[in-house]
């Protein structure tokens, strides 16, 4: 798909490139094995085209989805509608994702980026080498049931091992598993605050204070409970350990 996008852009830009005599840099070299290697200018163009897919890749192929869903459920459980704000939650999720994905990036850098910069492998080989650590990370967090479901939808009747599944199957299975895990963790965090709400509502009803909203009374108690148990450290530690860190 990316190659077709690049070729379409080149066709659209070809008149202006010819006028500026810039076509010399836009070369495609055929390798002995039939693969193609693009010039530096085309590689830059490909990178600029791929930038539009980076947000989706960051959200859907890393730990970001699980973290942001859990934090959103936690905020709802406490009863704070806008605190922390969406910007704070997204920022926390981004930097937690960087922390969790750093070992994966180090593997990609060691196996693909550095050899490619040292001209020890071609861009296509580097791309294949970079995919392996990311693929291994996603498979480690993907449920077999979800992987089999999307494999069946894609028409793949037999998978000898999960590593044989293509990225087009692994990515939606990974996202589905991440949402499932995020809801499970969010449910576990929700229960203590729900108990506080039930206790406060029962006490107010027993006292005959029907007109007083239980949410107003329970909110300070839930915040106090969250602070006393060192809630933020507990939440962040649980999220990190859910990806296998520190275990």
């Amino acid at each position: 798909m990316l190659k077709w996008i690049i070729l379409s852009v080149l066709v659209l830009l070809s008149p202006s490139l010819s006028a500026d005599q810039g076509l010399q840099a836009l070369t495609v070299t055929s390798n002995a094995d039939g693969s193609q290697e693009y010039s530096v200018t085309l590689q830059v163009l490909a990178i600029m085209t791929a930038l539009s897919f980076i947000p989706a890749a960051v959200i859907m192929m890393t730990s970001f989805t699980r973290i942001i869903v859990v934090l959103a459920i936690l905020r709802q459980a406490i009863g704070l509608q806008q605190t922390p704000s969406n910007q704070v939650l997204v920022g926390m999720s981004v930097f937690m994702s960087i922390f969790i994905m750093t070992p994966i990036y180090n593997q990609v850098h060691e196996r693909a980026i550095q050899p490619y910069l040292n001209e020890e492998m071609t861009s296509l080989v580097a791309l294949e080498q970079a995919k392996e650590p990311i693929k291994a990370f996603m498979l480690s967090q993907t449920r077999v049931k979800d992987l089999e479901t999307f494999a069946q939808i894609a028409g793949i009747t037999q998978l000898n091992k999960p590593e044989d599944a293509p990225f087009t199957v692994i990515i939606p299975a990974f996202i589905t598993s991440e949402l499932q895990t995020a809801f499970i963790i969010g449910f576990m965090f929700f229960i203590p605050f729900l108990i506080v709400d039930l206790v406060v509502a029962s006490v107010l009803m027993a006292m005959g204070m029907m007109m007083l909203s239980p949410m107003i009374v329970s909110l300070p108690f839930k915040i106090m409970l969250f602070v006393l148990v060192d809630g933020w450290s507990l939440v962040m530690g649980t999220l990190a350990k859910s990806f296998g860190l520190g275990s």
Side-chain angles (χ1 to χ4, degrees):
M1 179 63 69
L2 184 58
K3 293 181 180 180
W4 288 109
I5 295 175
I6 296 173
L7 291 176
S8 300
V9 172
L10 289 178
V11 171
L12 292 174
L13 296 179
S14 57
S16 60
L17 291 174
S18 300
D20 296 334
Q21 297 181 350
L23 284 175
Q24 290 80 359
L26 304 178
T27 58
V28 179
T29 304
S30 298
N31 298 324
D33 58 357
S35 60
Q36 293 179 330
E37 186 73 17
Y38 299 103
S39 66
V40 174
T41 303
L42 275 178
Q43 291 172 358
V44 173
L45 179 61
I47 292 174
M48 296 301 295
T49 304
L51 286 178
S52 59
F53 299 100
I54 288 180
V58 170
I59 293 175
M60 299 302 176
M61 298 174 63
T62 66
S63 58
F64 180 87
T65 300
R66 182 187 304 184
I67 297 172
I68 190 65
V69 171
V70 170
L71 293 180
I73 294 176
L74 176 65
R75 183 176 66 178
Q76 185 71 23
I78 297 176
L80 300 171
Q81 300 300 322
Q82 297 297 329
T83 305
S85 64
N86 292 332
Q87 292 83 351
V88 174
L89 293 185
V90 171
M92 293 171 62
S93 302
V94 168
F95 283 99
M96 274 294 294
S97 299
I98 293 174
F99 171 75
I100 293 170
M101 298 300 296
T102 294
I104 311 302
Y105 168 77
N106 291 337
Q107 295 180 37
V108 173
H109 185 270
E110 180 181 350
R111 297 174 56 175
I113 298 177
Q114 197 60 44
Y116 175 70
L117 294 178
N118 294 334
E119 299 182 355
E120 298 175 359
M121 61 177 60
T122 64
S123 59
L124 296 179
V125 174
L127 178 61
E128 292 299 320
Q129 290 294 322
K131 287 165 57 178
E132 294 304 318
I134 301 175
K135 188 175 183 179
F137 167 78
M138 289 194 294
L139 287 174
S140 67
Q141 306 298 324
T142 303
R143 299 186 305 166
V144 177
K145 179 180 179 181
D146 293 329
L147 191 63
E148 293 176 348
T149 298
F150 282 96
Q152 293 176 359
I153 296 174
I156 302 175
T157 57
Q158 183 177 2
L159 279 177
N160 296 327
K161 53 183 179 178
E163 290 77 8
D164 295 338
F167 254 91
T168 53
V169 172
I170 295 176
I171 293 177
F174 170 74
I175 298 169
T176 304
S177 297
E178 285 294 280
L179 290 174
Q180 177 78 0
T181 305
F183 273 72
I184 293 174
I185 298 175
F187 171 77
M188 299 302 295
F189 286 143
F190 207 108
I191 292 299
F193 301 107
L194 178 61
I195 294 175
V196 173
D197 285 333
L198 292 176
V199 171
V200 171
S202 299
V203 172
L204 291 178
M205 185 173 295
M207 296 174 62
M209 305 175 67
M210 305 293 184
M211 303 302 296
L212 183 60
S213 173
M215 293 295 296
I216 298 176
V217 180
S218 64
L219 180 58
F221 290 99
K222 290 190 289 186
I223 295 176
M224 181 181 65
L225 173 65
F226 191 70
V227 172
L228 289 177
V229 300
D230 197 8
W232 288 116
S233 178
L234 178 63
V235 170
M236 295 305 176
T238 301
L239 286 172
K241 291 178 181 178
S242 69
F243 288 98
L245 297 182
S247 58

